[in-house]
PDB file of all heavy atoms in Angstrom:
ATOM      1  N   PRO A 771     113.604 101.055  65.057  1.00  0.00           N
ATOM      2  CA  PRO A 771     113.083 102.399  64.683  1.00  0.00           C
ATOM      3  C   PRO A 771     112.562 103.158  65.897  1.00  0.00           C
ATOM      4  O   PRO A 771     111.943 102.678  66.802  1.00  0.00           O
ATOM      5  CB  PRO A 771     111.900 101.946  63.792  1.00  0.00           C
ATOM      6  CG  PRO A 771     112.142 100.593  63.237  1.00  0.00           C
ATOM      7  CD  PRO A 771     112.794  99.933  64.391  1.00  0.00           C
ATOM      8  N   LEU A 772     112.840 104.478  65.910  1.00  0.00           N
ATOM      9  CA  LEU A 772     112.513 105.320  67.064  1.00  0.00           C
ATOM     10  C   LEU A 772     110.983 105.774  66.890  1.00  0.00           C
ATOM     11  O   LEU A 772     110.542 106.327  65.927  1.00  0.00           O
ATOM     12  CB  LEU A 772     113.323 106.624  67.031  1.00  0.00           C
ATOM     13  CG  LEU A 772     114.786 106.294  67.475  1.00  0.00           C
ATOM     14  CD1 LEU A 772     115.490 107.765  67.458  1.00  0.00           C
ATOM     15  CD2 LEU A 772     114.933 105.740  68.938  1.00  0.00           C
ATOM     16  N   PRO A 773     110.260 105.557  68.026  1.00  0.00           N
ATOM     17  CA  PRO A 773     108.721 106.063  67.936  1.00  0.00           C
ATOM     18  C   PRO A 773     108.890 107.563  68.149  1.00  0.00           C
ATOM     19  O   PRO A 773     109.910 108.164  68.757  1.00  0.00           O
ATOM     20  CB  PRO A 773     108.180 105.360  69.092  1.00  0.00           C
ATOM     21  CG  PRO A 773     109.355 105.002  70.006  1.00  0.00           C
ATOM     22  CD  PRO A 773     110.553 104.860  69.177  1.00  0.00           C
ATOM     23  N   ARG A 774     107.830 108.225  67.793  1.00  0.00           N
ATOM     24  CA  ARG A 774     107.781 109.693  68.047  1.00  0.00           C
ATOM     25  C   ARG A 774     107.400 109.980  69.506  1.00  0.00           C
ATOM     26  O   ARG A 774     106.485 109.319  70.040  1.00  0.00           O
ATOM     27  CB  ARG A 774     106.746 110.361  67.166  1.00  0.00           C
ATOM     28  CG  ARG A 774     106.648 111.873  67.280  1.00  0.00           C
ATOM     29  CD  ARG A 774     105.761 112.582  66.199  1.00  0.00           C
ATOM     30  NE  ARG A 774     105.678 113.891  66.423  1.00  0.00           N
ATOM     31  CZ  ARG A 774     106.646 114.720  65.943  1.00  0.00           C
ATOM     32  NH1 ARG A 774     107.783 114.132  65.289  1.00  0.00           N
ATOM     33  NH2 ARG A 774     106.549 116.070  66.144  1.00  0.00           N
ATOM     34  N   ILE A 775     108.182 110.814  70.142  1.00  0.00           N
ATOM     35  CA  ILE A 775     107.730 111.144  71.644  1.00  0.00           C
ATOM     36  C   ILE A 775     107.030 112.431  71.651  1.00  0.00           C
ATOM     37  O   ILE A 775     107.352 113.372  71.075  1.00  0.00           O
ATOM     38  CB  ILE A 775     109.188 111.463  72.342  1.00  0.00           C
ATOM     39  CG1 ILE A 775     110.069 110.178  72.292  1.00  0.00           C
ATOM     40  CG2 ILE A 775     108.871 111.772  73.840  1.00  0.00           C
ATOM     41  CD1 ILE A 775     109.512 108.990  72.821  1.00  0.00           C
ATOM     42  N   LYS A 776     105.872 112.244  72.262  1.00  0.00           N
ATOM     43  CA  LYS A 776     104.888 113.461  72.370  1.00  0.00           C
ATOM     44  C   LYS A 776     105.296 114.311  73.616  1.00  0.00           C
ATOM     45  O   LYS A 776     105.218 113.872  74.635  1.00  0.00           O
ATOM     46  CB  LYS A 776     103.488 112.959  72.689  1.00  0.00           C
ATOM     47  CG  LYS A 776     102.972 112.162  71.436  1.00  0.00           C
ATOM     48  CD  LYS A 776     101.564 111.938  71.751  1.00  0.00           C
ATOM     49  CE  LYS A 776     100.974 111.078  70.508  1.00  0.00           C
ATOM     50  NZ  LYS A 776      99.517 110.610  70.707  1.00  0.00           N
ATOM     51  N   VAL A 777     106.022 115.462  73.277  1.00  0.00           N
ATOM     52  CA  VAL A 777     106.479 116.325  74.207  1.00  0.00           C
ATOM     53  C   VAL A 777     106.197 117.770  73.832  1.00  0.00           C
ATOM     54  O   VAL A 777     106.265 118.123  72.650  1.00  0.00           O
ATOM     55  CB  VAL A 777     108.045 116.107  74.424  1.00  0.00           C
ATOM     56  CG1 VAL A 777     108.751 116.413  73.223  1.00  0.00           C
ATOM     57  CG2 VAL A 777     108.443 117.064  75.620  1.00  0.00           C
ATOM     58  N   ARG A 778     105.786 118.570  74.807  1.00  0.00           N
ATOM     59  CA  ARG A 778     105.475 120.010  74.487  1.00  0.00           C
ATOM     60  C   ARG A 778     106.461 120.917  75.130  1.00  0.00           C
ATOM     61  O   ARG A 778     106.993 120.667  76.302  1.00  0.00           O
ATOM     62  CB  ARG A 778     104.058 120.295  75.042  1.00  0.00           C
ATOM     63  CG  ARG A 778     102.946 119.533  74.358  1.00  0.00           C
ATOM     64  CD  ARG A 778     102.851 119.881  72.978  1.00  0.00           C
ATOM     65  NE  ARG A 778     102.457 121.231  72.694  1.00  0.00           N
ATOM     66  CZ  ARG A 778     101.331 121.809  72.704  1.00  0.00           C
ATOM     67  NH1 ARG A 778     100.324 121.060  72.988  1.00  0.00           N
ATOM     68  NH2 ARG A 778     101.093 123.100  72.518  1.00  0.00           N
ATOM     69  N   SER A 779     106.769 121.991  74.513  1.00  0.00           N
ATOM     70  CA  SER A 779     107.734 122.937  75.055  1.00  0.00           C
ATOM     71  C   SER A 779     107.174 123.465  76.345  1.00  0.00           C
ATOM     72  O   SER A 779     105.985 123.752  76.541  1.00  0.00           O
ATOM     73  CB  SER A 779     107.934 123.985  73.984  1.00  0.00           C
ATOM     74  OG  SER A 779     108.653 125.150  74.544  1.00  0.00           O
ATOM     75  N   LYS A 780     108.145 123.621  77.285  1.00  0.00           N
ATOM     76  CA  LYS A 780     107.696 124.286  78.534  1.00  0.00           C
ATOM     77  C   LYS A 780     107.830 125.804  78.581  1.00  0.00           C
ATOM     78  O   LYS A 780     107.453 126.486  79.549  1.00  0.00           O
ATOM     79  CB  LYS A 780     108.610 123.704  79.677  1.00  0.00           C
ATOM     80  CG  LYS A 780     108.424 122.109  79.835  1.00  0.00           C
ATOM     81  CD  LYS A 780     109.378 121.614  80.776  1.00  0.00           C
ATOM     82  CE  LYS A 780     109.349 120.074  80.737  1.00  0.00           C
ATOM     83  NZ  LYS A 780     110.374 119.449  81.605  1.00  0.00           N
TER      84      LYS A 780
END
Side-chain angles (χ1 to χ4, degrees):
L772 289 179
R774 183 173 184 78
I775 304 298
K776 294 182 179 180
V777 60
R778 297 296 300 273
S779 171
K780 298 172 187 175

